[in-house]
Amino acid sequence: METLFSLLIGVFFASAVYLMLSKHTVRILLGIAILGNGVNLLLFTAGRLTREIPPIIPFDSDVLPSAAANPLPQALILTAIVISFSFFAFLLVLTYRGYQELGTDNTDEMRLAEPKDESLPPLGY
Amino acid sequence: MAAPTTAPIDLSAAMVMAPTALADWLVIAPMGLMITLGAVLMMVRHKLHLHGWIAIPGLVALVILDGLLLWRVAVDGPFTMTAGRWLPPFGISFTADLLGALLAFTSGIVALAAGIYGLRDINATGRRYGFFPFLMLLMAGVTGAFLTGDIFNLYVWFEVLLISSFGLLILGSERQQVDGALKYAVLNLIGTTLFLIAVGYVYAIFGTLNMADIARKVPEQRDVAPLLTLSTLFILAFAMKAAAFPVNFWLPASYHTPRVVVSALFGGLLTKVGVYAMIRVMVMLFPLEREELSLLLAIAAALTMVLGALGALAQSDLRRMAGFAVIAGIGNVVAGVAIGGQTGISGAILYALHSIVAMTALYLLAGEAARIGGSWSLQTLGGLYRQAPGLAVSAFVIFFATAGLPPFSGLWPKIIILKAALDIGAWWLSAALLVSALILTLTLGRVFLLAFWRPQLASAVGEPVSPATWHRSGPLVGLVAVLVFFGMFPDLPVRLSQGAAATLLDPTAYIQSVFPTGGAE
Amino acid sequence: MNTLILRTVAPPITALMLVFSVFVLLRGHNEPGGGFIGGLIAASALAIYGIAYGVSAVRHAIRFHPMAIAGFGLLVGALSGVVSIFAGVPFMTGLWIYPSIFGVEVPLATVISFDIGVYFVVLGSVGSIALALEERETD
Amino acid sequence: MADQAPLTLLCLFLPFLTALLAPAAVRRFGHGGSWGLALAPLLAFLHFLTFLPQISAGEVVTGGYAWVPSLNLSFSWFLDGLSLTFALLITGIGTLIVLYSGGYMKGHPQQGRFLCFILLFMGAMLGLVVSDSFLMLFVYWELTSITSFLLIGFDHEREAARRSALQALVVTGLGGLSLLAGLIFLWNMTGVTQLSLLVNVDDTLRNSPFYLAALLLLLGGAFTKSAQFPFHFWLPNAMEAPTPVSAYLHSATMVKAGVYLLMRLNPVMGATPAWEILLPFFGGVTLIAGTLLAIRQTDLKLMLAYTTMASLGLLVMLTGFDTPHAVEAAVLYLVAHSLFKGALFMVAGLVDHEAGTRDVTKLGGLRGDMPITFAAALLAALSMGGLPLFLGFLAKEEIYYALAHGDLRSIVFTLVAIVGNGLMFAIAFAVALKPFLGPHVETPKHAHEGPPLMWIGPALLASLGLVGGVLSGVAHRFVSTPMASAVAGEPRLVEISTIPHLGMPLLLSVITVAFGVLVYLRLDQARDMMVRLLTAIGSGPDRGFDHVVSGLVRLSVAVTRIVQPGRLEIYITVTFVLLALTLLVPSFLYGELPDMPTWPDELYFHEWAIILLAVIGLFAVLRASDRLTAIVSLGIQGFAVAVIFLLFGAADLAFTQFMVETLSVVILALVMTRLRLSPRDHRPPRQFAFDAAISIACGLGFTLLLMKTTQLPFNLELTEFFNTYSKVIAHGANVVNVILVDFRGTDTLGEIAVVMITGLAVLALIRVRLRDPLPDTNVETTAEGDRS
């Protein structure tokens, strides 16, 4: 199963990378969202896979049966999901503001911070 | 929600039973204090007059706590507190060793300086939209990162400081900030994501996240696990955070856009967290892999410092120049890491400490120069030597400290790293170090000539500027005093960074502090 | 989007979602759920109310600025960790007490207050973002 | 005499401490404050004077304190004949310079600052010559560079002064770095960090394979500092500094530091072929170039400056000329030069100060107005010209003793010395006689004799040249012999006296003087000739410096445009190319590829279906031609992931993922509908192929690494612990939640901090009104946008 998941994760990462290589901020944003999912799946697979039994201790037991899924990666992913959602929200609004303020979603045209034709620094003394 | 259903169980199999000394709280306290104050500031966000009264004493307390922490580590060696009382590696351990404590303490100092400077530099809007909460949580992230002993937790603190830096980056109300912030955010997000991915692989290989535990397990797994690929991934992720060539783009693209006090904080702190993580992971966890990849690191280091220095020379804008100066400094640190060994690592650590102070001071200086001279650009600046002699003295110190000339603090790490490079016969790396230092000398000498010595341009004569209040001059003078004092009496920081390097190269003490009884095997 | 239907169903839905969010929060320690998901549900409730009645109505209804609520949540979370200093145990150690209220033994713990902190942070923060975005739309 | 150490330490720091007082002293006492300030170097001078008997008896005095024990570096000094002589020259001439500055800078608004800089520089120079440990030497060496930067750029409102200051900083800074590398080389080769211990290890050093590298690096330091050709250009430009600075830098200090270093290293690094070729060669070239360049000048200071360069060449030449008497000659010439050059510079300054010009063609007949100055100038010139009775004569005799031998090399260098000395003779008298003799020429200011503050210095130094020559026995006993012994590394006895002995040296001296007189009489023709010659040669290294600086700036701009092009697309592309390399290259290089996996046949149909759905969602996002498709497709892959979590036992995750994905899609839709965007992702075919290749490489890299790591046996220690204690100790049945709030609660604390900050950051982003960037102003921001 891990093999198949590895391939799936590869597809996730490849898609994310392709989208992020775009000039357009919106596509970069989509890429970031997919990247987050890829990372989560990677963490999930890193803890090895088990089918269907959630890590919840039954009422009549004190310990979790060993067939249950590995809870640690799940907890890590929960943390990571929340964080990546936060970043996604921030970036989304940033993109929106970028479009508003700079009038474009094309990163090639966003040259306010690093203008294109800057004059040489003074050469004298 | 049920009470325990079985008979009392043996807690000692799961928990640390030894009583917790109050002094152990020192490793948590800086981070805890900053988060608490950040939360409080958030609750009183609209009561602007309270912000300074909460934040500045808070930062003073942070410096004191960090100082006590450093003192304790220097005297007693590393110590650990594991959150939740769980036995390591099951809970999240916070472990303070010399490296973390030194960086935390130095960061505390510059945060205090920036906080005080920010009282005047940040206007009401900036404050209402969270300058001080962002600052507090940035510091929570920074100190948390320096002191945590858990690699996933390190990632979390990276994110805390990253999102705080996003917030700070957009506070200055200028349109170019959106552009800078976009590049900064996207590239840094890629960097931290790569770090998280690497952490995922670490978990997949070792089944643990505690760094002391990983350090113990690496030798067992060395023959089977893909540690070199993993190490390269770590290096790439941390190089991005540290702004090493060729993944340093985000820094020059964004650091000049926010308010200068924010740039100062960033210049001092953010890249150093990346450097810290690189040292922690590559030196302490994967020493043999670092050795194997040292050529890669050395090439990156040489390019970083030379291109950083050249980049600084190419700028007219003082802030952009400072950004490239930060990068050149990172090159020096990475060179130390690449060389390795007691000398190289201690040089890298010492340089990082120096750079935290010097780069913050450099940005604050640029801010004052621009405030008095009315411009950021060397094209129009002039006459500052006459107008602000005190500032000229600060500039003289900061410039030569940055270029690594005596008697200022930049000299010593440069000498140590150069010695380390020549010890192993890396003449080209030494040459890069020297070329970088020379170009920086030329660059900063030119700035002194043009902005300070050159008479004020007739077109630039404007209204007289109000003299600097202590909010502005105090932090600058304080940082300059640090640069001068440790330039003339470098023994203490040198000794401490040597101690830090020794602990990293032989992490027995670090591991011992996490697993006092040899651990739960 | 200020349709009559939405205005009619919004109050009960909001109330229901808020109650449900608290339920999800409290059961989280033993069943799927917890502070984060609870907070998200509560924030969505605010968002729906905001769409129906306008952002200012929501702001008026919750009295505090959402970010202040988030700050309160973070404070609760941090204090839940720090309070263990008084028990002489490390940071974030779960402390449980079982006071008897009206004859019922109620378990109270710092881990629960911590989860409540998470709930408030998410409620405040995500709510604030949602409201801010909605507010733009009505400009 | 161990009890001397604290006093010596105090003397070493006295100039620095006094420097801090200088501005206040001048503010309080005016230019007369320099009388008080001069006490500092005077006291130091007297202190060092007390060591003379000891040193002349062949002893060395060392002392020191711990400084940086962690680097095995102590603040330690080492006084032998060489360093003591230097210390005496620095403090002695320094005293006179401070006095002279008091007069010269009288009424200057920044006189206090000037004296402060002079004293700082003096402290640096003094520390340099007494340093024992390498690093301390380097620290002081660089200190002289940065303090001279301040001094040369003192008249900072003039561009030429700024340029010269930067030039000196860069050239000597370059040398300083070279020196540092050289010193560390020495340290590594010998294991010794102190100059005084170097003497014991000479053979390992000379035989080391790194000898030549170390030597070249050290020479890089010495030659730049001592203005050897082709690094000489900064020195005449340093004349932009006020004259007291020139007098000080050129007589006993700054420029002599390089010679000092060479003399210091002579016992351990000398007497090798490289040493004996490089030093005389560069020294000789510098000597000739310096004198020729001096001839063309009409400015008194510049004439002297170029002869300084020539004299330094002579000194370097002699230091590397391993014949009997060479070391003695160098020592004698060094002392004589310090005295007469200091005096002549001060004379030039006096003339300038009183007459208002220092152009030799516009001066004449001042002897009546400035008799003391004239006397001092004459005495100094006689010494510089090397006429009998003067110290300069002794030096010249010794030089010819050293050089005049039968072999070809000696003949060549003898000729070089004759030409150089002859030309210097001519210039000495041009400076000393031209302004004073002949008909009176009208000058911008009506000249008077200067105040005592100003003539004490030159008069005293010039007289010392005579005293030293007449009382050569005393001078040799206390100064020349110990110094020569120190430079040679073995006992030497200097015996030359001012009574001429018939022989080859005397003959050569006579030839030199005759040549000098000839040139002096034909000075104008000689000058014209040189001007024509130099015009023919074109630009020298001085212009070259400008070209280098502006070229470097242009280069840096060009390079920075390439490495920092300002386009996010390039930044991301580079990052991902590196990522692909990072993942794939080590995997192949170090054999870290996974084993061939077996075909996954254990999956159920619905699991396949959902994985397929996720992939379809991804491709739909990639191919999306409008916003809505993109958003919906993004939702599909997100929900597919949620279902995958559910199928593999992660209910909490699925729940959260579902919620988060919904919210993401909603806010994405909310925001995207307000943007007018180009719907399609236009990439030209080549770009598409390139991007696709990078993406696939990255994806492949992650896949391979994940396969490799999941093929390893897994350590479930942590999970077992959580499963065991989640309920019994932490009282929670949902292990995931217990991990989140208890086992790893600190992560969650950080996470909610992130969430809270995001809320605030988004708020700030939406609310704060942005202005146009105003890069050239720093107006307090007035933006207001808060409405809540």
Side-chain angles (χ1 to χ4, degrees), chain D residues 133 250 294 319 447 464 475 572 652 686 707:
Chain D
S133 72
H250 285 206
T319 308
L464 273 178
I572 295 183
D652 272 291
R686 279 182 61 182
M707 273 157 73

Side-chain angles (χ1 to χ4, degrees), chain C residues 27-41:
Chain C
R27 76 170 209 152
H29 213 50
N30 291 310
E31 302 287 328
F36 179 74
I37 199 80
L40 274 187
I41 294 170

Side-chain angles (χ1 to χ4, degrees), chain D residues 15-16 19 90 115-127 140 143-149 151 225 245 248-250 252-255:
Chain D
F16 293 126
I90 290 160
L115 285 166
C116 170
F117 295 166
I118 280 272
L119 285 162
L120 286 178
F121 176 76
M122 186 185 300
M125 200 59 216
L126 186 58
Y140 276 114
L143 270 182
T144 62
S145 294
I146 67 174
T147 45
S148 63
F149 171 72
L151 285 171
K225 202 79 163 184
V245 178
Y248 200 33
L249 256 61
H250 285 206
T253 58
M254 186 79 170
V255 297

Side-chain angles (χ1 to χ4, degrees), chain B residues 4 9 11 13-14 42 45-46 83 86 90-92 94 123 125 128-130 134 137 150 152-153 156 160 163-164 170 173-176 178 183 186-187 194 197 201 203-207 209 217 224 226-229 232-233 236 240 245-247 249 252-253 259 292 307 310-311 313-314 324 371 374-377 385-386 389 396 405-407 411-412 414-415 418-419 422-423 434 438 442 445-446 448-449 453-455 472 488 490-491 494-495 498 520, chain D residues 67-71 73 110 113 117 135 138-139 142-143 146 149-150 153 156-157 162 165-166 169-170 173-174 177 180-181 184-185 187-188 552-553 556-557 559-560 563-564 566 568 571-572 574-576 578-579 582-583 586-587 590 592 702 705-706 708-709 712 714-715 717-719 721-722 725 728-729 731 742-744 746-747 749-751 753-754 756-758 760-761 763-765 767-773 775-778 780-781 783-784 786 788:
Chain B
I9 48 143
L11 282 179
M42 188 68 90
R45 192 164 65 89
H46 287 278
W86 302 107
F90 307 111
I92 290 178
F94 272 68
N123 63 3
T125 312
R128 185 168 304 142
Y129 286 105
F134 286 142
L137 287 156
D150 186 284
F152 187 81
N153 199 235
V156 172
V160 171
I163 188 77
S164 310
I170 50 168
S173 312
E174 284 180 9
R175 283 177 59 204
Q176 60 172 5
V178 173
K183 290 170 186 165
V186 170
L187 292 167
L194 291 182
I197 292 170
Y201 285 123
Y203 177 64
I205 295 170
F206 300 105
L209 297 165
K217 287 181 174 154
V224 286
L227 292 189
L228 281 158
T229 313
T232 325
L233 187 58
L236 178 64
M240 282 191 84
F245 185 82
V247 280
F249 309 114
R259 294 300 296 180
E292 183 71 40
L307 293 174
L310 276 178
L313 182 62
F324 281 101
R371 194 177 63 84
S375 164
W376 295 106
S377 170
Y385 190 72
R386 278 282 158 82
F396 189 75
L405 288 174
L411 171 75
W412 302 103
K414 188 176 83 178
I415 288 182
L418 188 64
K419 169 97 169 73
L422 287 175
D423 278 348
L434 297 179
L438 187 68
L442 173 66
R446 265 166 49 87
F448 199 78
L449 247 55
W453 270 353
R454 183 169 60 169
R472 292 181 184 277
M488 295 210 265
D491 191 51
V494 171
R495 198 148 36 85
Q498 285 174 344
Chain D
W67 184 21
V68 196
S70 45
L71 290 179
L73 167 61
Q110 298 188 345
R113 203 178 282 182
F117 295 166
L135 289 183
F138 171 74
V139 166
E142 292 289 57
L143 270 182
I146 67 174
F149 171 72
L150 290 174
H156 58 91
E157 312 241 304
R162 297 197 296 272
L166 187 70
L169 180 73
V170 169
L174 171 73
L177 294 171
L180 176 61
I184 292 179
F185 252 100
W187 181 359
N188 286 1
L552 206 55
V553 172
S556 68
V557 170
V559 169
T560 307
V563 298
Q564 187 69 31
L568 183 61
Y571 299 166
I572 295 183
V574 171
T575 306
F576 283 133
L578 274 176
L579 176 62
T582 295
L583 291 169
S587 299
Y590 297 105
E592 293 182 343
F702 282 121
L705 190 55
L706 190 59
K708 173 73 181 167
T709 52
L712 297 172
F714 190 55
N715 181 347
E717 190 191 354
L718 262 63
T719 303
F721 181 91
F722 298 144
Y725 295 110
V728 289
I729 298 183
H731 312 312
D742 197 335
F743 290 117
R744 296 188 65 87
T746 316
D747 282 346
L749 185 64
E751 173 208 313
V754 171
M756 186 193 79
I757 308 162
T758 310
L760 189 58
L763 201 62
L765 198 53
R767 291 286 172 73
V768 176
R769 290 278 158 80
L770 299 186
R771 300 178 289 114
D772 273 325
D776 282 344
T777 55
N778 191 38
E780 285 297 322
T781 314
E784 277 296 333
D786 196 16
S788 53

Side-chain angles (χ1 to χ4, degrees), chain B residues 158 195 233-243 274-275 277-278 281:
Chain B
F158 261 69
F195 176 34
L233 187 58
F234 267 123
I235 289 176
L236 178 64
F238 295 143
M240 282 191 84
K241 301 301 293 181
V275 162
M278 186 184 287
V281 170

Side-chain angles (χ1 to χ4, degrees), chain D residues 30-35 96-108 111 114-115 244 349-350 353-354 445 450-455:
Chain D
H31 73 283
S34 59
W35 286 106
L96 302 173
I97 292 286
V98 170
L99 293 177
Y100 183 79
S101 311
Y104 187 85
M105 303 292 285
K106 179 180 170 186
H108 192 288
Q111 192 185 16
F114 181 78
L115 285 166
L350 251 172
H353 194 256
E354 297 302 322
K445 275 159 71 178
L453 267 177
M454 292 186 71
W455 55 251

Side-chain angles (χ1 to χ4, degrees), chain A residues 36-64:
Chain A
N37 280 335
V39 175
N40 292 342
L41 282 174
L42 186 139
L43 286 172
F44 198 56
T45 315
R48 311 303 193 268
L49 302 169
T50 343
R51 212 172 261 132
E52 276 177 51
I53 306 173
I56 293 175
I57 301 172
F59 191 70
D60 53 358
S61 168
D62 275 346
V63 294
L64 192 66

